[in-house]
Amino acid sequence: MKDLVDARGLSCPQPVLLTISKLKKAGLETVEVLVDNDVSRENVCRAANSQGWTVLEVVEEPGQYRIVINKAK
């Protein structure tokens, strides 16, 4: 099951907190996160890795980054 966190326009630590909260929900295996700045991209990826989750993909798109995280270990 996959879900989306739209954290565009938010500053850290909000994108990180939203991402962790979403990934901790039962039944979710993959979360796609949208952020709009480098600091949020780095912090979301770092937080995912520190939790033992896998950052599958980081795609730079016009005005945003799309981060795909899988919590399967």
Side-chain angles (χ1 to χ4, degrees), residues 46-66:
R46 187 178 309 122
N49 288 326
S50 74
Q51 296 292 318
W53 300 325
T54 303
V55 177
L56 298 175
E57 184 174 48
V58 178
V59 179
E60 184 173 1
E61 299 174 342
Q64 69 182 22
Y65 294 97
R66 181 176 305 273

Side-chain angles (χ1 to χ4, degrees), residues 7-68:
R8 292 174 294 181
L10 302 176
S11 57
C12 278
Q14 287 180 300
V16 172
L17 296 174
L18 290 172
T19 301
I20 289 174
S21 175
K22 187 71 80 172
L23 277 163
K24 286 186 174 178
K25 285 188 174 181
L28 285 179
E29 292 296 324
T30 304
V31 171
E32 192 170 286
V33 184
L34 300 177
V35 295
D36 59 2
N37 63 75
D38 291 335
V39 173
S40 293
R41 174 185 51 85
E42 291 172 14
N43 288 341
V44 167
C45 291
R46 187 178 309 122
N49 288 326
S50 74
Q51 296 292 318
W53 300 325
T54 303
V55 177
L56 298 175
E57 184 174 48
V58 178
V59 179
E60 184 173 1
E61 299 174 342
Q64 69 182 22
Y65 294 97
R66 181 176 305 273
I67 306 165
V68 180

